[in-house]
Amino acid sequence: TVASVLQKTAYRNWSLYLGINRELAPLFAHLDDGRVRVELLDADTGRCSYFNDVSERADAELLVFLEPGTIVLQDEWLDHLVAQGQREEVGAVGARVVSGDRRVAHAGIVVGAGSYGVGDYVGKGASLAEPGYMQRLQLTQNMSAVSSACMLTKRGLFRSLGGFDATLDVTLYQDVDYCLRIAEAGRSTVWTPLVTVLLSEGELGTYEGTGGLARVQKDAWRVQSRWLRQLSLDPAYNRNLNLKKADFSLERGMVPAWDPALPDVPRITGGGAGSFSSWIYRVEQPLDALAQAGMARFARIPFSGDVVEALPSAAEMERMKPDVLLLHNTVHDHFIEAMRNYRKLNGVFVIFGQDDLMFAVPPKSSVFNSTYRDMKKRVRSCLSLADRLLVTSESLADELSGMIDDIRVLPNRLDARVWGALESRRGTGRKPRVGWAGAQQHYGDLEILADVVRETAAEVEWVFMGMCPDFLRPYVSEVHPYTAFERYPKTLAGLNLDLAVAPLERNRFNRCKSNLRLLEYGALGWPVIATDIEPYRGAPVQLVSNQSRAWIRAIRDHVNNPEESARQGDRLRDWVRGNFLQNHLEEWLEALDPQAGSRSRPALSGKASSL
């Protein structure tokens, strides 16, 4: 850095303050000649502290900051910086920073962009000849922030604004913070490609942070808490462009269906993790139906399971400015951290969705071993950060009632556009077709049917879709693989069952489940035999104990009374259509309304039936 400044600077009226560690003093002693002032730093003196100190002592109108490892490449570099910096309205000027492979490293900063929603460098990786988006890599222009790898600023302005924030460990955040203070003071920040400096590879690798991930996150939160509005609306960018990185690409992952400046109907952002079907039933379908009806606007956080990249930063959330944020089953660390940031920074009304008692997964479930051992603590953390809890059943509300005050019970329902026109035929088999459909988590539930399937295999055609344990396969006529969710309703209808079964182990987890399985069976007109357990009570189905004799007897009653069995299927279909095949959009809108009361538990009527 020093050698390049001495050799390449054509501008005459300058002096250099060089802060070095004491062990390097002998290497630079010969340079201390009045124009170059070599100053020894204490071990704990950071770059920003030194820059701030020099600004107090320097006898100059303009200051230029050069980070260690920055190499000047042009004789006229300082002339170009001074030409811009002398303009009255300009507060800071930044240069084009390149790497050793002749590619752009920094070409200005888009504030609010990047992994942590504070800022990201423009042009990273571009060749020096590339024009960039609308030629912006080749044009002098106003930016919201520039890199202090090579930055000129007015000394008086720098001092009046308090200099760099030395408490911020991440260099990028110091740049952004100072440049935003310049804008607040009514001055502009300029980036110019007429000055090119080289930053050594070692400095490029550590430039964004030196204190580890925890420090980066802490500093990001500190800058966001000061400047969230400015970070969300960089005037040198556009709200329709991607903020994950400053590449001027269109935002494709999460596009709000509203203009934040023009509020009309409620604006809801929805996201989730875990089960994809759960996300569809509890977020995608109801919010999409509200939007289709013109009752709300809906912005999707793309379903990602546990993929970190899908989460919006606080700046992205502020850019959207939703009225409500609905997060379903989001118990992973990065979701909880995001909820914490949204709660502190954005002030958005947060609703946490839950459709299972996640900390009571039964040991026989295929997901038991992959479930967090501290799941109850995680759920409690999520609820402490939420304003309201939205659940599918009374039992689940009771289990979670000690963790949050505002709980809404909103049952699962089927999308009429998907399920309303489906048909399933009866009597298509040589014998009555009896079946079950479900995912891999139901091993313990299907153990209930071990003796039942074996003893009735000669009397009925057993049909399974999705999971079929090995102990049942010798007695099952058909096994159908589980299909993608968008094909699931039609594939399920194609099983053409005469009777469906819904066994559940009796445990806390299953007591808190919804009646979704009955709704899907019922929409197809199938009569159902189900375990006598909380989620299935109140529906017009035949409830039995989990004794094999009870199941066998109930199946034979249906087989021997096909007409009455069919009538029971019709009654269930009518019950589903009357109660669960409408969108019930008013109930959803009321449950998502931040101004609504604290607890709502709609009563649903129905009768268990028998043959």
Side-chain angles (χ1 to χ4, degrees):
T1 299
V2 176
S4 69
V5 171
L6 295 176
Q7 296 170 11
K8 288 287 187 179
T9 305
Y11 194 90
R12 294 183 178 277
N13 189 18
W14 60 271
S15 59
L16 175 65
Y17 287 78
L18 177 61
I20 62 173
N21 296 328
R22 293 182 182 276
E23 59 269 23
L24 298 178
L27 299 176
F28 294 92
H30 67 287
L31 294 175
D32 198 343
D33 61 359
R35 181 174 236 194
V36 178
R37 306 179 190 186
V38 179
E39 301 181 332
L40 303 182
L41 304 181
D42 295 330
D44 58 350
T45 301
R47 298 174 187 174
C48 288
S49 295
Y50 180 67
F51 289 160
N52 293 344
D53 179 61
V54 168
S55 74
E56 298 291 330
R57 297 183 284 106
D59 182 18
E61 294 183 8
L62 299 172
L63 301 173
V64 176
F65 303 112
L66 295 173
E67 298 286 352
T70 301
I71 300 172
V72 172
L73 301 176
Q74 302 152 297
D75 293 342
E76 309 297 327
W77 72 280
L78 191 51
D79 299 77
H80 290 300
L81 291 180
V82 170
Q84 295 293 335
Q86 285 183 324
R87 293 162 53 196
E88 178 64 27
E89 72 276 14
V90 173
V93 186
R96 177 171 63 174
V97 181
V98 301
S99 56
D101 59 355
R102 294 179 171 269
R103 293 195 171 273
V104 175
H106 313 151
I109 298 170
V110 171
V111 301
S115 301
Y116 301 100
V118 174
D120 190 34
Y121 299 113
V122 175
K124 288 186 295 186
S127 73
L128 301 187
E130 284 185 47
Y133 176 75
M134 297 189 73
Q135 290 74 50
R136 290 185 67 166
L137 293 181
Q138 305 295 337
L139 298 175
T140 298
Q141 63 200 271
N142 286 358
M143 298 288 289
S144 291
V146 293
S147 165
S148 64
C150 178
M151 175 195 288
L152 177 144
T153 189
K154 292 180 171 69
R155 174 172 172 263
L157 178 64
F158 187 76
R159 292 181 61 190
S160 69
L161 297 179
F164 290 119
D165 185 347
T167 67
L168 295 172
D169 184 69
V170 183
T171 308
L172 170 62
Y173 299 172
Q174 296 159 354
D175 305 341
V176 169
D177 179 70
Y178 177 60
C179 290
L180 289 177
R181 278 183 277 138
I182 288 175
E184 191 175 50
R187 305 291 183 92
S188 59
T189 294
V190 173
W191 175 82
T192 178
L194 300 179
V195 180
T196 299
V197 297
L198 173 68
L199 193 61
S200 67
E201 295 300 321
E203 291 300 321
L204 282 171
T206 60
Y207 193 69
E208 294 193 15
T210 58
L213 179 59
R215 184 58 190 263
V216 171
Q217 292 174 329
K218 181 179 179 181
D219 283 1
W221 182 87
R222 186 178 297 161
V223 176
Q224 288 169 337
S225 66
R226 294 174 185 171
W227 303 108
L228 187 59
R229 184 182 66 81
Q230 290 86 346
L231 296 177
S232 69
L233 294 171
D234 187 332
Y237 211 51
N238 185 287
R239 70 180 181 87
N240 296 300
L241 298 179
N242 177 24
L243 274 181
K244 292 302 181 188
K245 52 185 178 179
D247 62 355
F248 294 88
S249 63
L250 283 174
E251 174 61 64
R252 298 185 185 277
M254 186 178 55
V255 182
W258 61 76
D259 184 337
L262 300 173
D264 46 7
V265 296
R267 304 177 299 197
I268 304 165
T269 296
S275 166
F276 181 67
S277 60
S278 178
W279 142 262
I280 292 292
Y281 279 119
R282 302 301 293 178
V283 179
E284 172 78 9
Q285 287 183 349
L287 297 190
D288 185 63
L290 284 170
Q292 292 292 326
M295 300 169 68
R297 308 285 186 195
F298 172 33
R300 298 164 178 82
I301 300 175
F303 178 81
S304 59
D306 59 355
V307 177
V308 179
E309 289 77 11
L311 286 175
S313 67
E316 289 175 298
M317 190 64 66
E318 185 68 14
R319 183 167 74 171
M320 289 191 296
K321 296 191 79 68
D323 301 308
V324 175
L325 174 62
L326 172 61
L327 294 175
H328 186 70
N329 288 342
T330 50
V331 297
H332 300 297
D333 290 340
H334 55 280
F335 280 108
I336 295 174
E337 181 63 26
M339 288 180 68
R340 188 172 290 114
N341 285 336
Y342 301 153
R343 180 81 173 187
K344 291 178 180 178
L345 298 171
N346 298 98
V348 62
F349 191 85
V350 178
I351 299 178
F352 187 74
Q354 190 97 88
D355 63 344
D356 279 320
L357 189 61
M358 299 175 73
F359 51 81
V361 175
K364 294 178 181 179
S365 171
S366 62
V367 301
F368 178 78
N369 290 329
S370 61
T371 300
Y372 289 116
R373 297 283 78 93
D374 63 342
M375 181 62 82
K376 190 169 187 177
K377 179 181 178 181
R378 290 173 177 272
V379 171
R380 194 180 295 275
S381 294
C382 291
L383 296 184
S384 72
L385 298 169
D387 298 286
R388 178 175 295 160
L389 171 64
L390 186 61
V391 296
T392 51
S393 71
E394 292 285 346
S395 298
L396 186 54
D398 290 339
E399 285 277 2
L400 301 175
S401 60
M403 299 184 184
I404 188 171
D405 293 329
D406 189 350
I407 303 178
R408 293 302 186 93
V409 179
L410 198 58
N412 275 328
R413 292 191 171 89
L414 303 180
D415 190 330
R417 296 170 298 180
V418 176
W419 294 87
L422 288 177
E423 294 184 0
S424 184
R425 295 183 295 157
R426 296 168 178 159
T428 62
R430 293 180 297 104
K431 294 179 286 187
R433 293 171 63 82
V434 182
W436 177 90
Q440 298 297 315
Q441 298 96 311
H442 295 278
Y443 188 91
D445 301 327
L446 293 181
E447 279 189 332
I448 296 167
L449 299 181
D451 294 336
V452 178
V453 173
R454 183 173 59 251
E455 188 163 332
T456 60
E459 304 168 50
V460 303
E461 294 178 2
W462 278 101
V463 180
F464 279 73
M465 177 179 166
M467 185 181 190
C468 183
D470 291 341
F471 62 81
L472 292 179
R473 284 183 178 266
Y475 313 103
V476 173
S477 299
E478 296 176 16
V479 177
H480 299 264
Y482 207 78
T483 186
F485 186 85
E486 60 270 17
R487 297 193 297 271
Y488 170 73
K490 187 174 182 179
T491 303
L492 184 69
L495 299 182
N496 293 326
L497 300 183
D498 299 298
L499 175 66
V501 295
L504 283 179
E505 286 186 286
R506 295 193 59 82
N507 53 46
R508 287 176 69 198
F509 183 84
N510 283 342
R511 282 198 297 271
C512 294
K513 288 182 70 67
S514 76
N515 62 356
L516 182 59
R517 186 60 46 78
L518 299 190
L519 303 186
E520 294 176 345
Y521 289 168
L524 301 174
W526 298 341
V528 175
I529 304 170
T531 296
D532 186 3
I533 192 171
E534 283 82 346
Y536 295 161
R537 292 172 186 162
V541 299
Q542 185 171 2
L543 300 178
V544 298
S545 69
N546 279 342
Q547 301 299 315
S548 297
R549 287 291 100 196
W551 281 89
I552 293 169
R553 184 167 53 251
I555 290 171
R556 285 173 174 164
D557 284 343
H558 277 269
V559 169
N560 294 328
N561 296 276
E563 293 181 357
E564 177 56 31
S565 180
R567 281 193 289 270
Q568 184 172 325
D570 292 339
R571 286 195 295 271
L572 179 59
R573 180 173 52 204
D574 293 342
W575 181 77
V576 170
R577 288 180 174 177
N579 293 282
F580 298 96
L581 204 58
Q582 300 87 11
N583 289 320
H584 291 258
L585 298 185
E586 292 79 7
E587 287 184 25
W588 269 96
L589 196 61
E590 196 263 346
L592 297 170
D593 182 359
Q595 305 303 319
S598 64
R599 187 150 181 160
S600 175
R601 293 191 174 191
L604 295 169
S605 61
K607 285 186 176 182
S609 57
S610 60
L611 286 167

